[in-house]
Amino acid sequence: MQNAAFEAAGLGRPYGRQLVHPEELAEFFEYARENLAGVNLTVPHKLQAAELSDELTPRAEACGSVNTLIISDRRIIGDSTDGIGLEEALKYCFNDTLAGKRIVFCGAGGAARATAVHLAGCGVQDVSFINRTLSKAEELSALCRTLYPDVSGVCTTFADENDVEMLLESADYLIQATSVGLKPDDPSPLAGKFFHPGMKVKIFDTIYHPTALQKIAAANGIACVNGMEMLIRQGAASFELWTGVKPDLSAMRRGFEAGGDGA
Ligand code: NAP
């Protein structure tokens, strides 16, 4: 995906992949400092990368998560493009604005953290969380409210079915940001009984292959997209940070589809 963008911009194919274990991340940062101009990094490195960066952009500082390194004169700046990736994907996929919208996140892990804090700053009315572990949802919700006191929201768990039903009935967007669905035989994190034809909610599933939730949405005529466009948009934002050039999104989509895994 990134090499497709670089090639379309006449910049060759400079992007490579490196498997790095958490205990090797500090060493990788020293390699990157000497040898690379930019890095994307993903699970499980996003929080540790925020600690290892020499400097954080305000949006990375706000969410405490880093998915992009910009390296110049041996200085490593950590940034987070997941939030802008989701914002742009939502607007593009649903041809909508976010102003005044009620957003419900399913999940409160790293991806939800980086994106919920960003969406809370996009003029939405409400950001709420449904998560297996209530304390993690409450912590993330408190962070959103500290940064954006005008944005309301509540937290609940999957077990509190009345709360889940109430949240889904009033939501404009459900952002599925758990890892449930990554394995082909995973169930939907939210049972089919919570969905019915005619609901106004639209679903953005951050997982970019077919999931049980996406099937439930299709069966009920609920608008639902997978996470491909978010992956492309967060990568495109990284590309622009490194090069100062807006990438060719169509080339990135073709690159993603050819590669199959976003690399
Ligand atoms: P993470 O930090 O490990 O968080 C995992 C989340 O899933 C937590 O909310 C966790 O709940 C929940 N969860 C895990 N197993 C569960 C289960 N059996 N039942 C209910 N909830 C469960 O992972 P992450 O980095 O946030 O990634 C989450 C998802 O976002 C992944 O599917 C990933 O593919 C996707 N993602 C997509 C993009 C994109 O560009 N499209 C970018 C980033 C991430 P607890 O808090 O209770 O543990």
Side-chain angles (χ1 to χ4, degrees):
M1 177 182 87
Q2 292 290 21
N3 274 331
F6 278 109
E7 248 181 349
L11 296 169
R13 293 180 67 85
Y15 196 88
R17 291 202 286 189
Q18 179 71 46
L19 178 65
V20 178
H21 297 288
E23 62 277 14
E24 301 163 340
L25 191 62
E27 192 185 334
F28 177 77
F29 263 59
E30 291 318 305
Y31 168 81
R33 185 190 299 288
E34 301 297 338
N35 296 286
L36 301 176
V39 175
N40 283 134
L41 44 83
T42 188
V43 178
H45 298 310
K46 293 182 182 180
L47 301 186
Q48 199 188 348
E51 287 165 17
L52 290 171
S53 297
D54 298 323
E55 185 184 330
L56 295 179
T57 61
R59 62 188 177 189
E61 179 104 53
C63 65
S65 170
V66 160
N67 75 338
T68 304
L69 305 181
I70 307 124
I71 306 165
S72 172
D73 295 331
R74 302 183 68 254
R75 190 161 175 77
I76 300 180
I77 300 172
D79 201 352
S80 174
T81 64
D82 283 328
I84 188 85
L86 177 58
E87 178 195 352
E88 290 189 354
L90 281 171
K91 289 176 175 169
Y92 173 80
C93 294
F94 297 114
N95 192 22
D96 197 6
T97 66
L98 293 175
K101 295 294 191 308
R102 302 176 80 99
I103 315 277
V104 174
F105 274 85
C106 172
R113 190 177 179 88
T115 55
V117 166
H118 180 89
L119 288 194
C122 289
V124 300
Q125 181 186 336
D126 192 287
V127 179
S128 292
F129 298 91
I130 304 167
N131 196 45
R132 181 177 59 179
T133 310
L134 186 61
S135 59
K136 289 195 199 165
E138 286 174 339
E139 190 193 322
L140 180 49
S141 181
L143 175 62
C144 291
R145 247 148 293 294
T146 303
L147 293 167
Y148 302 102
D150 292 343
V151 178
S152 56
V154 297
C155 300
T156 192
T157 66
F158 297 102
D160 198 332
E161 298 193 350
N162 287 340
D163 278 2
V164 171
E165 189 181 351
M166 185 200 70
L167 281 173
L168 294 179
E169 288 296 338
S170 60
D172 295 295
Y173 288 106
L174 169 66
I175 314 294
Q176 194 305 107
T178 73
S179 42
V180 184
L182 285 175
K183 288 186 239 120
D185 55 351
D186 273 351
S188 167
L190 290 161
K193 66 182 173 189
F194 292 117
F195 300 93
H196 59 82
M199 286 176 93
K200 74 167 172 172
V201 71
K202 300 182 175 83
I203 301 176
F204 191 96
D205 189 348
T206 62
I207 295 174
Y208 36 80
H209 62 239
T211 64
L213 176 64
Q214 292 165 33
K215 285 192 198 119
I216 290 170
N220 287 286
I222 296 169
C224 176
V225 295
N226 72 25
M228 180 192 88
E229 197 63 28
M230 174 181 164
L231 185 82
I232 287 168
R233 301 282 174 151
Q234 57 82 28
S238 300
F239 182 96
E240 195 173 343
L241 288 166
W242 299 323
T243 63
V245 175
K246 284 201 185 300
D248 180 337
L249 293 173
S250 302
M252 292 185 89
R253 286 186 197 105
R254 286 194 298 276
F256 172 83
E257 273 152 15
D261 62 358

